[in-house]
Amino acid sequence: MSLVGSVSEEMSNSSENQVESLPQSIEEKHQELVVSHVPIVSSFNERIRPLLDAVDKLRHLQVMKEGIQLPTIVVVGDQSSGKSSVLESLAGISLPRGQGICTRVPLIMRLQHHTAPEPELSLEFNGKTVPTSEAKIANAISLATDEIAGSAKGISNTPLTLVVKKNGVPDLTMVDLPGITRVPVHGQPENIYEQIADIIMEYIRPEESIILNVLSATVDFTTCESIRMSQKVDKNGERTLAVVTKADRAPEGLLEKVTADDVNIGLGYVCVRNRIGDESYKEARKVEADLFESHPLLSKIDKSMVGIPVLAQKLVQIQATIIARCLPEIVRKINEKLNASISELNRMPKTLSSVGEALTTFMGIVGSAKESLNKIIVRGEYDEYPEDKNMHCTARLVEMLNQYSGELRKCSENDLTGNFLMDEIQVLEEAKGIQLPNFLPRTTFLAILQKKVEKVSHIPVAFVEKVWTYIEGVVISVLMHHSENYHQLQLSTRRAGHSLIARMKEHSRNWVTEIVQMEKLTDYTSNPEYMNDWSKLMAQQHDFTRDEKGYISTFKIEGLGEVPIAGLRGYEQHVLLQAFDLKMRMTAYWKIVLRRLVDFMALHLQFCLRNLVNKEMEEEIVQELVGRHDGAIERMLEESPAVACKREKLNVSIKLLSESNNVLVNIMDKIASNI
């Protein structure tokens, strides 16, 4: 078991034993505590003081800003519930009094038993420490509050810490919050209730907070706003302790109210009497003890539920238990967040101090971007973007290429079977000349070929536009990712990327236009499939001419499917034979053309993309940043506001967490030396 764990376990066990023996110890020592100057609670002082000091130091360091909640006793209550009186009795000092809200900021009260004859009091706020005295403390708190929250009657969430080192006080740290009021007085904002409620909820919401709910015996507990708020975050009252003030003013029915527990106070009730007038704290404790001992109604309340000494004892025990339970988790969270912040800072780009460093970093960015694009575009690896399918480039390119091939085939499907032979017959009619009738003019083939190529010519052009638009998105995304820490580079890098892709797109557009023109102007292939397919198709010519003379309306050609022939019966046979031959030649050759448009496109893209990644991109970016002589490299020495802010935030976080970790290490060492 860790040192923290062993200390925590010891404290928890001790706390439980103290709670079990509380009634007996109170009965036996009640009068002694009332009249003596010994600490209200001494059982835990030596053991809890080091850990309480550690928690107080963590609070002073504001470790809560890192999302680490500290065990805290939070004092809440409706206005005029007697909250200040309770705290005065625990601390043995006078707090500000008056009409309206007396506590206008969270007041962190750090009480420490002090053996010296003279007490030591000080206020900590706005980064400074102001010593004060018992006689001047109320005025000092008022002045400090005015400095924090203004001289009007508004409130602030900026805390004020009051340190009280005095003989006889319990070792406690509590946070006193503004009293709840619904009606603003002159000088207060209209939404004063909402402001107070927000502060209270912020403090009582964490599971590490113990809620000390101050209730007046003169009111119905179920109507108290502080009860309503605490029940929002602690429905079963497991971390709520109630202090019932002004017991002497409303003794009737108080026993029933604290035993019936209609408002779910899981940690129990403690009834107290408020100090009146010029009573000393010693006199007030004696009067309080006599009241609960001799009053006909109040004396019936169990002695474990009455008096400031009992309240102090319970608070110290609860505080010990909550610290013991929470401290190991606090240690874990601090170490975890510290390591995470250090790792994140180490991943950030180093601050550049010379043009040489900037140039080296720049070339490193270009090199890493080049390698990423090689993986994504050329090699088809996507481990850098496993979840972003848009960055799985080769797979997306294959999909686009298949779609392109399908569009080419679909665009020319109807040409094969629709109006069968009519286009061929029309072209042959227009190509007639003074020549032998059984020759097939080449011009007829080229005329039909040009018409078919023209019909699909927009598809390759649209395809290269689509592909390069997609590639542009991938390239810019990778370039921005690798230069994200140097905002000065990103504008130039983006400009270089857009310029390069525009040039590559124009090159591909010109190339595909040229390919389409070549397909229009000439008819050639060395692919033996052309002759094989043409021969297979022509083998069906005899059956076609025979059936064409009959009365059937369609004829099935293997390789084409069903074709309509009813409209062909009026043409001369030699015309039909030539038209059929021309159709079959074009059918066989068109397969070659479509395949060539797809294959050449695939080869062209592969070549251009490799050239883009391995040569063109680096040259373009270097030319853009270095060749323009506009100081882009030099500007890399200036860290972007976002990066500088993040670096500063991480450094502050690391400093805070390191100091917090040192606090805990020192406390643990101190505890270990005493075990």
Side-chain angles (χ1 to χ4, degrees):
M1 181 183 294
S2 67
L3 180 58
V4 174
S6 61
V7 172
S8 300
E9 182 178 8
E10 179 190 351
M11 288 183 59
S12 295
N13 292 337
S14 299
S15 174
E16 291 169 3
N17 293 335
Q18 287 281 353
V19 171
E20 289 173 1
S21 61
L22 180 62
Q24 183 180 359
S25 64
I26 293 296
E27 286 285 352
E28 294 173 351
K29 299 184 178 180
H30 191 247
Q31 292 299 325
E32 178 186 349
L33 286 170
V34 168
V35 298
S36 70
H37 287 282
V38 299
I40 294 178
V41 176
S42 58
S43 305
F44 283 150
N45 283 5
E46 293 182 2
R47 277 174 290 180
I48 196 172
R49 189 70 252 167
L51 294 181
L52 188 54
D53 284 342
V55 173
D56 288 339
K57 287 178 181 177
L58 294 180
R59 197 186 316 278
H60 180 72
L61 289 170
Q62 297 185 336
V63 75
M64 296 83 74
K65 289 182 178 179
E66 298 298 320
I68 298 171
Q69 299 297 334
L70 298 177
T72 305
I73 296 174
V74 182
V75 185
V76 298
D78 293 6
Q79 189 173 329
S80 302
S81 62
K83 187 160 57 72
S84 295
S85 295
V86 172
L87 297 176
E88 285 180 339
S89 296
L90 289 170
I93 59 171
S94 297
L95 296 174
R97 295 295 186 95
Q99 296 297 318
I101 300 174
C102 301
T103 305
R104 298 194 291 124
V105 298
L107 179 64
I108 302 173
M109 298 184 64
R110 291 171 50 193
L111 310 182
Q112 182 176 351
H113 172 58
H114 191 55
T115 56
E118 293 298 321
E120 295 179 12
L121 284 76
S122 62
L123 294 174
E124 298 173 0
F125 61 100
N126 293 344
K128 59 185 177 182
T129 300
V130 179
T132 184
S133 65
E134 283 190 275
K136 299 178 180 179
I137 185 60
N139 186 54
I141 291 175
S142 297
L143 292 174
T145 300
D146 288 346
E147 186 173 330
I148 295 171
S151 57
K153 296 183 179 180
I155 64 171
S156 170
N157 200 10
T158 302
L160 167 65
T161 299
L162 167 62
V163 180
V164 178
K165 297 180 180 180
K166 185 178 180 181
N167 188 12
V169 301
D171 280 285
L172 282 173
T173 296
M174 300 172 290
V175 180
D176 180 27
L177 298 180
I180 304 166
T181 180
R182 281 194 170 274
V183 181
V185 299
H186 181 68
Q188 289 180 340
E190 290 298 319
N191 66 339
I192 187 68
Y193 170 77
E194 287 76 14
Q195 290 186 28
I196 294 174
D198 288 344
I199 294 175
I200 290 175
M201 295 305 290
E202 178 184 332
Y203 274 87
I204 67 175
R205 185 176 290 111
E207 289 293 324
E208 295 82 1
S209 294
I210 296 297
I211 304 168
L212 181 58
N213 210 321
V214 181
L215 310 170
S216 172
T218 61
V219 302
D220 182 355
F221 295 166
T222 60
T223 65
C224 292
E225 190 67 21
S226 61
I227 287 292
R228 191 183 68 82
M229 287 187 183
S230 63
Q231 286 182 340
K232 281 185 178 180
V233 296
D234 185 31
K235 187 174 182 180
N236 297 323
E238 295 174 354
R239 49 189 182 88
T240 301
L241 172 67
V243 182
V244 182
T245 63
K246 307 177 184 179
D248 53 330
R249 296 189 190 179
E252 292 81 7
L254 183 57
L255 174 61
E256 290 73 16
K257 289 169 75 173
V258 297
T259 53
D261 189 21
D262 293 330
V263 290
N264 291 336
I265 303 296
L267 295 179
Y269 294 81
V270 178
C271 302
V272 299
R273 172 192 174 274
N274 295 39
R275 187 169 64 97
I276 299 174
D278 295 329
E279 287 180 344
S280 68
Y281 293 103
K282 180 180 177 182
E283 291 170 346
R285 283 166 62 182
K286 186 176 188 311
V287 172
E288 178 187 61
D290 292 341
L291 175 70
F292 288 111
E293 187 69 35
S294 59
H295 192 281
L297 295 177
L298 298 180
S299 62
K300 296 179 181 179
I301 301 175
D302 193 286
K303 295 301 179 287
S304 66
M305 298 173 62
V306 297
I308 290 295
V310 170
L311 174 62
Q313 182 95 355
K314 280 196 173 186
L315 287 175
V316 170
Q317 291 166 356
I318 289 169
Q319 180 178 248
T321 302
I322 190 73
I323 290 178
R325 189 177 76 234
C326 294
L327 198 60
E329 184 65 10
I330 293 173
V331 172
R332 185 191 67 79
K333 285 182 178 179
I334 288 176
N335 286 326
E336 190 177 86
K337 287 182 177 290
L338 178 60
N339 292 333
S341 296
I342 291 173
S343 297
E344 188 172 359
L345 183 64
N346 290 336
R347 288 195 299 270
M348 291 189 68
K350 67 175 184 177
T351 305
L352 305 178
S353 57
S354 68
V355 174
E357 280 188 359
L359 190 58
T360 301
T361 301
F362 164 66
M363 295 309 297
I365 291 171
V366 174
S368 59
K370 179 179 175 181
E371 174 57 23
S372 290
L373 289 172
N374 249 314
K375 292 170 69 176
I376 296 168
I377 295 177
V378 178
R379 301 201 298 267
E381 301 170 9
Y382 52 84
D383 55 288
E384 292 184 16
Y385 301 91
E387 302 302 324
D388 188 353
K389 291 189 175 181
N390 191 59
M391 299 297 283
H392 302 175
C393 198
T394 54
R396 302 292 81 79
L397 287 174
V398 169
E399 290 174 356
M400 285 188 272
L401 201 61
N402 289 338
Q403 186 179 6
Y404 163 65
S405 177
E407 288 176 2
L408 285 173
R409 288 195 302 272
K410 186 177 181 180
C411 186
S412 54
E413 274 178 358
N414 292 335
D415 294 344
L416 298 176
T417 57
N419 294 322
F420 185 66
L421 297 187
M422 298 308 295
D423 287 343
E424 286 76 11
I425 291 172
Q426 184 179 358
V427 170
L428 285 169
E429 286 292 326
E430 295 303 317
K432 287 190 298 187
I434 304 173
Q435 61 188 25
L436 293 174
N438 60 341
F439 281 89
L440 187 63
R442 182 168 179 265
T443 54
T444 58
F445 187 85
L446 288 176
I448 294 176
L449 176 63
Q450 288 170 3
K451 185 178 178 181
K452 290 175 71 66
V453 172
E454 180 63 30
K455 187 177 180 180
V456 301
S457 62
H458 68 284
I459 298 177
V461 175
F463 177 70
V464 296
E465 290 279 351
K466 178 181 178 181
V467 166
W468 282 113
T469 299
Y470 167 70
I471 293 297
E472 182 176 33
V474 171
V475 170
I476 296 299
S477 177
V478 170
L479 289 175
M480 292 301 98
H481 171 69
H482 285 279
S483 61
E484 64 182 351
N485 292 320
Y486 300 95
H487 76 292
Q488 308 88 337
L489 282 182
Q490 289 199 318
L491 182 61
S492 298
T493 304
R494 183 185 293 273
R495 187 165 58 236
H498 286 310
S499 175
L500 174 60
I501 297 299
R503 196 169 69 247
M504 300 294 286
K505 186 187 291 186
E506 182 64 24
H507 169 67
S508 289
R509 193 185 295 114
N510 293 338
W511 173 85
V512 78
T513 302
E514 193 173 73
I515 289 295
V516 169
Q517 289 301 316
M518 285 191 289
E519 293 293 355
K520 281 183 180 180
L521 296 176
T522 184
D523 52 340
Y524 174 77
T525 181
S526 62
N527 192 330
E529 288 188 16
Y530 166 69
M531 290 302 297
N532 291 337
D533 289 348
W534 176 72
S535 297
K536 290 177 182 178
L537 291 167
M538 288 301 294
Q540 303 172 73
Q541 187 181 47
H542 176 72
D543 294 337
F544 168 74
T545 55
R546 182 189 63 198
D547 289 347
E548 178 270 332
K549 295 177 182 179
Y551 295 99
I552 62 175
S553 59
T554 60
F555 178 75
K556 184 176 182 180
I557 300 177
E558 188 177 346
L560 287 182
E562 295 278 347
V563 297
I565 61 174
L568 302 177
R569 294 190 180 97
Y571 293 97
E572 296 180 9
Q573 183 150 351
H574 76 276
V575 173
L576 293 176
L577 290 174
Q578 282 188 318
F580 188 90
D581 187 4
L582 184 57
K583 183 73 170 182
M584 298 308 114
R585 288 175 188 272
M586 182 54 64
T587 300
Y589 185 65
W590 190 243
K591 289 171 62 177
I592 302 297
V593 172
L594 294 182
R595 189 177 302 162
R596 200 153 52 200
L597 287 175
V598 175
D599 290 348
F600 281 1
M601 184 67 77
L603 293 173
H604 170 76
L605 286 177
Q606 287 280 69
F607 174 77
C608 290
L609 291 175
R610 289 175 183 270
N611 198 34
L612 164 74
V613 173
N614 295 318
K615 180 183 177 183
E616 300 287 346
M617 185 188 75
E618 187 171 352
E619 291 180 359
E620 183 74 23
I621 295 176
V622 170
Q623 180 63 29
E624 176 68 33
L625 269 77
V626 180
R628 290 167 64 96
H629 302 292
D630 60 354
I633 295 295
E634 289 78 2
R635 287 199 301 273
M636 287 179 64
L637 301 177
E638 306 166 10
E639 198 164 51
S640 73
V643 173
C645 181
K646 183 178 180 181
R647 191 188 301 278
E648 175 63 21
K649 184 177 178 181
L650 284 172
N651 281 322
V652 169
S653 179
I654 289 170
K655 181 176 182 293
L656 188 156
L657 291 168
S658 296
E659 291 177 356
S660 301
N661 188 58
N662 290 336
V663 166
L664 293 174
V665 169
N666 292 336
I667 291 297
M668 292 304 104
D669 288 344
K670 186 181 295 185
I671 293 173
S673 64
N674 294 328
I675 291 179

